[in-house]
Amino acid sequence: DQQVKQNSPSLSVQEGRISILNCDYTNSMFDYFLWYKKYPAEGPTFLISISSIKDKNEDGRFTVFLNKSAKHLSLHIVPSQPGDSAVYFCAARPVSGNQFYFGTGTSLTVIP
Amino acid sequence: EADIYQTPRYLVIGTGKKITLECSQTMGHDKMYWYQQDPGMELHLIHYSYGVNSTEKGDLSSESTVSRIRTEHFPLTLESARPSHTSQYLCASSQQGGKYEQYFGPGTRLTVT
């Protein structure tokens, strides 16, 4: 049973516009969330994270929003650049757990 | 800079062979992980280690085994490869304490024929 879901397998956005990637989770015990970016033939690289005590975290062009009541988080990229084209994974960690649960990823294409 | 290495990057091997996938990190991280990922699917944790001589199985059942004799080295072994083991294997490491982000290696693409 998948506890972290990314329901959009792919997303295309014009360069300079906003990219919004979404992630839903089912486990109310998750207290830490991360986003990773993955290029082909490479491992995922950490992008940004958020603790459940916050509802927003910002790092340059990347902002993650957390809505605990809806069990939903989103990653905003503004402005989008062609180099942002990659697969984005969200991951979540439970309070007392030892592992992270990953979504299936969303492939973002930024069109020049 | 995060340095975590995996070898080989690609491996095609016949059924029944024993294989070891290598993973090394130079960051001094205590925690190390092995994930399995099929195309279009989520990463599944198959093994993790919180330090030397400490190994645990993840949620995904796996016929592989791991060892952690040195902090920097976390190899994964399949005693008898089968076609069902065909997948991408990703190794990762992270620090102890509050920093939860994991640093991933480039992965090993395994094909068992």
Side-chain angles (χ1 to χ4, degrees):
Chain A
D1 184 29
Q2 204 173 341
Q3 301 188 53
V4 178
K5 299 178 183 178
Q6 293 176 259
N7 293 316
S8 297
S10 61
L11 175 68
S12 291
V13 172
Q14 280 300 127
E15 180 178 4
R17 306 295 288 268
I18 184 171
S19 295
I20 301 176
L21 297 98
N22 294 304
C23 181
D24 297 293
Y25 61 95
T26 57
N27 189 340
S28 58
M29 298 303 291
F30 287 151
D31 73 335
Y32 200 83
F33 305 86
L34 305 91
W35 284 94
Y36 289 86
K37 179 167 77 170
K38 184 179 184 301
Y39 293 118
E42 294 183 13
T45 55
F46 169 72
L47 198 55
I48 193 169
S49 62
I50 188 167
S51 165
S52 62
I53 63 173
K54 295 184 176 181
D55 54 19
K56 177 183 174 182
N57 188 27
E58 193 171 352
D59 183 2
R61 296 186 297 114
F62 303 91
T63 303
V64 56
F65 295 92
L66 176 63
N67 183 333
K68 290 184 287 294
S69 61
K71 295 191 180 69
H72 177 84
L73 67 155
S74 60
L75 174 68
H76 293 210
I77 307 173
V78 182
S80 300
Q81 299 173 353
D84 296 330
S85 297
V87 177
Y88 289 78
F89 291 94
C90 66
R93 178 188 179 272
V95 173
S96 58
N98 293 321
Q99 66 181 68
F100 283 92
Y101 295 86
F102 284 79
T104 52
T106 295
S107 178
L108 173 66
T109 301
V110 179
I111 304 164
Chain B
E1 182 174 322
D3 288 322
I4 181 163
Y5 308 98
Q6 288 186 246
T7 57
R9 294 291 310 275
Y10 303 92
L11 179 62
V12 180
I13 201 163
T15 297
K17 299 291 186 182
K18 177 180 179 179
I19 58 172
T20 296
L21 307 184
E22 300 288 347
C23 176
S24 294
Q25 50 96 5
T26 58
M27 297 169 283
H29 288 168
D30 287 321
K31 297 181 181 179
M32 295 190 75
Y33 312 82
W34 275 103
Y35 290 90
Q36 185 175 341
Q37 187 194 17
D38 295 318
M41 303 296 288
E42 66 267 40
L43 281 71
H44 284 291
L45 183 69
I46 50 175
H47 296 282
Y48 61 96
S49 167
Y50 279 7
V52 172
N53 295 324
S54 151
T55 62
E56 299 286 345
K57 287 185 180 287
D59 275 359
L60 183 67
S61 173
S62 174
E63 294 164 344
S64 58
T65 59
V66 292
S67 63
R68 190 89 184 275
I69 299 172
R70 302 197 316 266
T71 298
E72 63 271 21
H73 195 214
F74 191 40
L76 181 144
T77 298
L78 277 165
E79 290 293 333
S80 180
R82 295 209 300 265
S84 61
H85 296 138
T86 295
S87 189
Q88 184 178 41
Y89 293 83
L90 290 159
C91 180
S93 70
S94 66
Q95 296 175 338
Q96 291 282 15
K99 292 279 187 182
Y100 296 129
E101 54 263 32
Q102 297 174 351
Y103 296 87
F104 283 84
T108 295
R109 173 73 62 184
L110 173 66
T111 302
V112 183
T113 60

